Amino acid sequence: MRPIVVDQSRRRAAIRRLQQVNGTLPTWSELAEPGGSSGAPNLSAIGPDAPDPANLWRVHWFNDASRTRRSEVPSHLVLPTELTGVDSPIVVLIGRRFPMIGAHKVLAAYACLVPRLVTGQFDPERDRAVWPSTGNYCRGGIAISRILGCRGVAVLPAGMSRERFDWLRAWVSDPADIIRTPGTESNVKEIYDRCAELAKDPDNVILNQFSEFANYLIHYYCTGRAFDRVFSHIRATHRDARLAAFVSATGSAGTIAAGDHLKKLHGSRTVAVEALECPTMLRNGYGEHNIQGIGDKHIPLIHNVMNTDVVVGVSDRTSDALNHLFNNRVGRKYLIGRRRIDPELVSQFDDFGISGLANIVASIKLARHLELGPDDIVMTVATDGAAMYETERRSYEQRRYPDGFDDVNAGETVGRHLDAIATDHVLELSHVERTRIFNLGYYTWVEQQGVSLEDFDRRKHQPFWQGLVDTIPEWDRLVDEFNDEVGHAPGRRAS
């Protein structure tokens, strides 16, 4: 991932396409600190879900609840002890505020395509952007492709939630651009195999989030700074607060890169979450699960394993149960009436998708395991919202509660899946354990995907990752130069 132009003719094609769609590209610094650029377009007349290139300038953490205005502090919730049962405040950033897809994966998709545009590695007039994922990243890729006037192809397991496919059908130009691979959340290799077939056509450009270092870098820079802004906001009134940990399901290992940034600033622990039903990091294990959004059975190339401190396993039985409880009328009434949870907070459970609930459960486990106190802040993320899993909730209730869900069932769910959260399946990583997990990646990336052993091994050392971070000013410069050639001088970009 070098910030240099490699093909002038393809770069000119990308410039022509941006001129045709009347768009410009925000730099990574402009997404990390939105609002400070005089080049941002006027968004007042643009809906946050419109397929308009102006919405590229909303691909950041600082959208308010309406997603039409910028907030000084990223949207977040602080979960109280009455809900979590631990003294440590658990702070959840809300990915649902992102435009077009209602999930923060659109940020990663933008970051993975833009370097190719500005360096001449993607021709929007000819190439097809192929977006392999287990759901949200490919939706983000399709959105970015469409508004930039190029063709996008989504590759995802057939067993993902119906809502993901409904969204894709509304956004793709051709139904054939939705490619279903066998299996569900855990079947990432099947995605890779299909992409290997697609890559035989030179017009297909595979943007694999699991190996695209731009995915790491955008989350280190933009997501990490968003979490730091929220922490600073909390510390303004909680002066003794310290950032104890950043907790994130690994998935593609993009989001967890924010932990590297926070550790550098605050010395916090970086905590990786995975499904207990597929304990790859915990026990070199395998299996199937329903925590949609965290692909597994392998270690992503962009996961900075040697800087990860803790692994926590969460069962999909718990995330499925809480997804039902938190978004069920009876369940919410129970939480308000019997647990005395603030009704306003309960109404905001709309912001929690399944992987977000898994992150919250892992945060509670960690707080109990480390015996964290009221000054120890644990930060995590809800990638998407509850709306993406309505059919999952209906299916769950039909299976588990065919006669209906009542107060007794709600109490049992709270007791079994919230109050009983324990410190099991929490592994603090020694150097030996980190090395074990790092070595697991060999079988995917060197043996199967053709990464050279030298390139694979250099990721073991932190100077490699810092070298990526050091390229950010150069990427910003290339984006600015690209915009200038599109024809919009600074301060006069598309509106």
Side-chain angles (χ1 to χ4, degrees):
M1 183 183 174
R2 298 177 60 197
I4 58 173
V5 176
V6 298
D7 189 320
Q8 289 288 356
S9 65
R10 298 176 94 191
R11 183 174 179 273
R12 285 193 294 271
I15 289 169
R16 286 194 300 271
R17 182 51 51 89
L18 266 291
Q19 291 170 335
Q20 291 166 4
V21 301
N22 196 32
T24 53
L25 306 175
T27 66
W28 291 13
S29 293
E30 287 168 325
L31 295 179
E33 295 288 343
S37 171
S38 60
N42 180 2
L43 295 170
S44 60
I46 307 297
D49 293 324
D52 190 300
N55 269 325
L56 293 176
W57 293 80
R58 285 186 170 125
V59 180
H60 57 67
W61 286 97
F62 289 80
N63 298 302
D64 70 359
S66 72
R67 298 186 301 148
T68 61
R69 294 181 296 273
R70 185 176 64 87
S71 174
E72 289 300 316
V73 179
S75 295
H76 64 282
L77 296 175
V78 181
L79 303 184
T81 298
E82 293 78 12
L83 179 68
T84 65
V86 295
D87 293 333
S88 175
I90 294 175
V91 180
V92 188
L93 261 66
I94 306 302
R96 188 183 173 209
R97 302 290 186 263
F98 277 80
M100 297 175 286
I101 73 168
H104 82 288
K105 287 284 192 171
V106 70
L107 177 65
Y110 177 80
C112 291
L113 184 57
V114 165
R116 283 179 164 80
L117 292 174
V118 301
T119 59
Q121 297 179 77
F122 187 89
D123 179 351
E125 298 174 351
R126 185 191 69 190
D127 294 338
R128 291 182 293 271
V130 179
W131 304 94
S133 86
T134 55
N136 284 327
Y137 172 75
C138 71
R139 291 197 303 124
I142 292 296
I144 297 297
S145 300
R146 177 171 170 179
I147 63 180
L148 289 178
C150 57
R151 184 175 174 184
V153 178
V155 183
L156 73 165
M160 303 309 293
S161 70
R162 191 187 76 184
E163 288 80 3
R164 281 171 163 78
F165 289 105
D166 289 345
W167 186 97
L168 286 168
R169 281 191 291 270
W171 274 76
V172 296
S173 57
D174 184 337
D177 290 339
I178 305 172
I179 297 177
R180 295 167 173 82
T181 56
T184 56
E185 184 62 43
S186 297
N187 297 96
V188 175
K189 183 179 183 299
E190 289 78 0
I191 298 173
Y192 289 167
D193 291 345
R194 187 69 177 93
C195 286
E197 296 175 11
L198 293 169
K200 294 176 183 177
D201 183 339
D203 291 341
N204 288 330
V205 178
I206 312 299
L207 296 150
N208 187 346
Q209 62 172 336
F210 300 94
S211 58
E212 291 281 327
F213 287 102
N215 184 10
Y216 170 90
L217 197 52
I218 199 73
H219 283 301
Y220 177 97
Y221 191 51
C222 294
T223 302
R225 291 177 72 166
F227 273 94
D228 182 53
R229 179 70 64 85
V230 172
F231 179 65
S232 296
H233 172 75
I234 291 170
R235 196 159 54 179
T237 56
H238 188 164
R239 297 186 182 279
D240 293 328
R242 73 178 190 94
L243 182 51
F246 172 71
V247 177
S248 175
T250 49
S252 69
T255 305
I256 201 171
D260 287 357
H261 185 72
L262 295 172
K263 179 182 288 191
K264 185 175 181 179
L265 292 176
H266 304 288
S268 52
R269 292 178 174 89
T270 301
V271 181
V273 182
E274 67 179 2
L276 186 58
E277 288 75 14
C278 189
T280 305
M281 290 180 286
L282 282 172
R283 295 194 292 273
N284 297 5
Y286 53 88
E288 300 288 336
H289 69 87
N290 192 46
I291 306 179
Q292 298 191 22
I294 59 170
D296 41 31
K297 285 197 291 198
H298 81 307
I299 305 301
L301 192 70
I302 67 168
H303 185 181
N304 185 3
V305 171
M306 303 306 289
N307 206 34
T308 302
D309 301 291
V310 184
V311 175
V312 179
V314 174
S315 173
D316 66 2
R317 295 191 299 274
T318 293
S319 54
D320 282 345
L322 294 181
N323 179 42
H324 181 256
L325 175 77
F326 282 12
N327 295 285
N328 177 280
R329 180 185 58 82
V330 173
R332 290 189 176 192
K333 182 179 178 182
Y334 182 92
L335 291 169
I336 294 169
R338 298 294 294 272
R339 297 297 294 257
R340 301 292 189 266
I341 307 300
D342 183 352
E344 183 177 350
L345 174 63
V346 172
S347 71
Q348 291 178 285
F349 289 168
D350 290 346
D351 292 327
F352 296 160
I354 292 178
S355 65
L357 292 168
N359 281 338
I360 290 167
V361 172
S363 298
I364 295 171
K365 283 186 165 219
L366 181 81
R368 286 189 171 144
H369 176 81
L370 297 179
E371 299 180 344
L372 299 179
D375 294 332
D376 298 311
I377 308 298
V378 177
M379 305 191 83
T380 191
V381 60
T383 295
D384 56 15
M388 196 55 57
Y389 306 97
E390 178 60 36
T391 55
E392 294 292 325
R393 287 191 294 277
R394 287 201 298 267
S395 175
Y396 180 86
E397 181 157 341
Q398 289 168 3
R399 295 194 313 271
R400 298 296 301 271
Y401 305 103
D403 298 325
F405 185 77
D406 58 23
D407 280 350
V408 174
N409 301 136
E412 290 173 343
T413 300
V414 169
R416 183 176 300 137
H417 296 289
L418 200 58
D419 291 344
I421 294 174
T423 60
D424 55 344
H425 310 296
V426 178
L427 176 64
E428 295 188 57
L429 299 181
S430 64
H431 178 75
V432 171
E433 287 288 358
R434 290 188 181 100
T435 302
R436 171 185 63 80
I437 296 170
F438 181 91
N439 290 346
L440 284 176
Y442 172 88
Y443 303 100
T444 297
W445 300 108
V446 178
E447 289 197 343
Q448 296 176 16
Q449 302 302 318
V451 173
S452 73
L453 184 60
E454 180 183 8
D455 286 342
F456 179 82
D457 279 342
R458 63 166 50 105
R459 300 159 39 257
K460 189 178 290 186
H461 308 290
Q462 294 313 302
F464 168 83
W465 302 95
Q466 184 58 48
L468 292 178
V469 173
D470 291 342
T471 66
I472 290 172
E474 286 300 299
W475 287 115
D476 282 352
R477 177 185 60 80
L478 283 177
V479 172
D480 278 333
E481 291 175 355
F482 183 90
N483 283 329
D484 287 343
E485 292 188 51
V486 168
H488 303 276
R492 298 181 62 244
R493 291 179 181 170
S495 60

